[in-house]
Every structure is written in structure tokens, then in C-alpha cells.
Amino acid sequence: MRFAFTDDQLAIRDAVREMLAAECPPTAVRAAWEGHGRTVGAWAGLAEMGVLGMLVPEAADGLGLSELDVVLVHQEAGRAALPDPLLHATLAAWMLGQAGDTHWLPRILDGSLTAAVGHCGRMPPADVYVMRLDDQVYAVPASAAHRREAESVDHTRRLGLVTFNPAEARVLDVDWDGAFDRGAVFAAAELVGLGRRALDMAVEYAKVREQFGKPIGTFQAVKHRLASALVDLAFAEPLVHRAAWCLATSDPAASVAVSMAKAKASDAAWAASKAALQVHGAIGYTTECDLHFWMKRIWALAQTWGDPRMHRERIAHHYLEDPHA
């Protein structure tokens, strides 16, 4: 059995990484944080590359790829702290593709329409909302939704409390549980990317920040803290990739693999942000330092698509139901 990614999958990852390096540098993340909310060129670049429709069949103008292709893209989005709602677009396109939609889907794929996916409640602004309410999934145009602003620790996520009248929405016959699992694993992938970039920032800072006449990176205590955080991320990453493989192959145990990945990635990214902050000291928490934006995204994303406790409870429930699983 081959466990490595294919050359094509790595080529897609590298192309997205190169585009985001050009179109979503830290200055773009800072601008989004300070009020713009979105990037200028990254979203158009992702649409042009077909990234928004990677999970949509070719017959519906998507790329017809698998979760294994998509997971690496979301890891790169995390590395760049992409402010644009890529995860929501990926899920909305997958769900609308399942439902055979021809109204909203084409505009999601070309990037002209933004979508948000989740339970009725806190969601980012969008042109169409795909929401679960009372065990039913609805597609709700923004004109039929009622949105009241809500606070978020990550200022690039302009959350709102969204409600709607089911009579004004369209019912979608889609797999909500499958959408939740994909949301969780893609969030886990972004967390791995975010954590790795936070550690990279800490390593670079440790090379130039001096105490007692030496760079702090030469001190054993600093080395050990950063190495420990790196080990956590190194253990989380293959769990995320395995979960994507389970979804791509319709493995019966996909949900528990997803929960293992999301719980571990949330903890590992959180540990990486904590280590990076301790290396930077007080300046790391200020908005003058780019690390601030990556940390806040980690803290927010670790709690979405199921927090670590929820996913550990799902793992426990799975094995307590079937001890031989």
C-alpha cells in the first residue's frame, strides 16, 4: 500500500503555496484583520485554479478530485492564515453538488458568490447560507436570512448570529454528517498549517532576539520548548492525512479518524501558539507582531467544527459501543 501523496497532489499543493505567498502575505492578513476582511487577489487566484470546486464532479464543472487532494490545499491556507472563507466554499460546493444545484453552485465555483456552512447560529457573512436546523439542511439566500453581528477572537472572521424562516429557504437532500466530517478534517489541516507557521516565526525570532549577549535560540530551554511543539504537530499531521484518506475511500471508521485528527490538531496547534508566544514574550501578543494573527486564528479554529472535548467524546463513544473496533 502506498501512503505517500502523488506527484500531482504535491504539485497542486505547491502551486497553491506559491500563489498564496504572492497574494496573501502577512500584510494582506493584517489588512483583513484591520477592516477589509478579505484578500484582494488570493480569492480570485483560488477560483481561477479551480480550488473552490475540487470536490465537485467534472460534470458539474468541478475538478472531481478527492479529500486527499483538498486536505493539502487547506494546510497551505492555514500556513498563510488565509482570511477568505475557503473551508466554507469547499463544503458548500460539495453539498450543492450533491444536491444537483445549478443556481448557486456555478457562482461559488467562479468565486463571484460566497457561501457559509454550519448550524443555525454564528456564521460569517455570505451570499448564501447552507444551514442545518432540526435535522434538516437548508440553502438560504442572504435576502431571506436575518443576521446580527457577533464577536470573534479572530477579527478576520466577521461572525453573525444567523436565523431564517424555513418557509423562505430551499431544502437540500444532502449528507450533513459527511459535511461535518469534511469540515472538521479541513479545519484540522488548517490548524496544522497555522501551527507550523507560528513555530517558523518563533524560530526566526529566536535567532535574532538576544539575552545575556546570545540569541535566545541557543538556550536549551527554548530549543526544547520549540522541539516539543514541533513533535506534537508532527504527530497530528499524519492523523489529518489519514482522516482525509478515510473520507476519500468511504472507510466505515472515517468519523472516528476525523475526530482523532481534529482533537490532536487542535491541541498541537494550540501548543505551538503557546510556545511561539512564550518565545516572543509580550510583543507576540500585540498586533504589531504578525504572530498575533496566527495565534488568534488557531484559538478560534480549535473550537470550531467540534472542539477537542467533543471529538474525544465521539472517539470514546465509538470504542465503548464496539470494543473490538
Side-chain angles (χ1 to χ4, degrees):
M1 180 180 292
R2 177 181 171 83
F3 291 99
F5 287 98
T6 67
D7 291 341
D8 287 344
Q9 289 165 338
L10 295 176
I12 293 172
R13 178 203 66 185
D14 293 344
V16 170
R17 178 181 294 184
E18 183 178 350
M19 188 276 291
L20 290 179
E23 301 293 347
C24 187
T27 52
V29 178
R30 180 178 294 275
W33 179 278
E34 292 175 350
H36 297 85
R38 300 286 298 276
T39 61
V40 176
W43 192 248
L46 291 169
E48 185 178 348
M49 296 171 72
V51 167
L52 305 183
M54 290 180 75
L55 290 181
V56 176
E58 292 182 73
D61 294 328
L63 296 185
L65 299 178
S66 77
E67 290 77 5
L68 272 174
D69 303 285
V70 179
V71 74
L72 292 177
V73 170
H74 281 279
Q75 208 164 313
E76 293 307 315
R79 184 186 295 272
L82 177 72
D84 302 280
L86 176 60
L87 193 155
H88 290 274
T90 301
L91 293 182
W94 180 77
M95 297 174 81
L96 291 168
Q98 275 195 334
D101 175 77
T102 58
H103 177 63
W104 288 301
L105 182 58
R107 288 180 288 165
I108 290 176
L109 298 187
D110 67 19
S112 62
L113 181 149
T114 57
V117 179
H119 289 274
C120 191
R122 290 175 179 257
M123 300 177 74
D127 300 306
V128 59
Y129 297 94
V130 180
M131 291 189 279
R132 185 187 187 190
L133 177 65
D134 298 331
D135 295 325
Q136 186 62 264
V137 181
Y138 299 88
V140 187
S143 59
H146 306 282
R147 189 173 185 276
R148 181 166 56 87
E149 291 298 317
E151 292 295 324
S152 171
V153 68
D154 175 6
H155 291 187
T156 64
R157 300 170 70 245
R158 308 296 180 186
L159 294 183
L161 296 172
V162 182
T163 58
F164 68 100
N165 181 353
E168 299 177 359
R170 174 187 164 194
V171 176
L172 296 181
D173 183 16
V174 295
D175 175 14
W176 174 261
D177 291 337
F180 178 84
D181 281 345
R182 284 162 179 79
V185 78
F186 297 151
E190 292 190 14
L191 282 163
V192 170
L194 286 159
R196 285 193 175 276
R197 183 65 175 272
L199 276 187
D200 288 344
M201 292 179 184
V203 169
E204 291 305 311
Y205 185 77
K207 292 177 182 177
V208 297
R209 178 73 168 92
E210 292 190 358
Q211 286 288 347
F212 310 110
K214 295 181 180 180
I216 62 173
T218 63
F219 300 142
Q220 223 175 32
V222 174
K223 291 180 181 178
H224 286 177
R225 184 168 296 280
L226 293 175
S228 179
L230 180 61
V231 168
D232 285 341
L233 288 168
F235 275 100
E237 189 172 24
L239 287 177
V240 174
H241 297 166
R242 178 206 176 208
W245 178 86
C246 288
L247 290 171
T249 58
S250 300
D251 190 295
S255 290
V256 72
V258 166
S259 285
M260 290 177 180
K262 181 57 166 66
K264 182 61 178 176
S266 296
D267 288 345
W270 192 288
S273 72
K274 183 177 178 180
L277 177 59
Q278 289 180 321
V279 168
H280 278 77
I283 194 172
Y285 193 74
T286 69
T287 53
E288 298 173 30
C289 182
D290 289 339
L291 176 65
H292 183 97
F293 310 123
W294 270 257
M295 285 195 310
K296 289 292 184 69
R297 178 69 60 80
I298 287 171
W299 298 349
L301 199 55
Q303 304 304 312
T304 60
W305 298 102
D307 62 17
R309 179 176 180 176
M310 172 262 159
H311 282 289
R312 287 192 174 90
E313 287 176 351
R314 190 160 76 149
I315 294 166
H317 182 72
H318 171 80
Y319 285 107
L320 289 173
E321 270 198 339
D322 183 4
H324 303 292

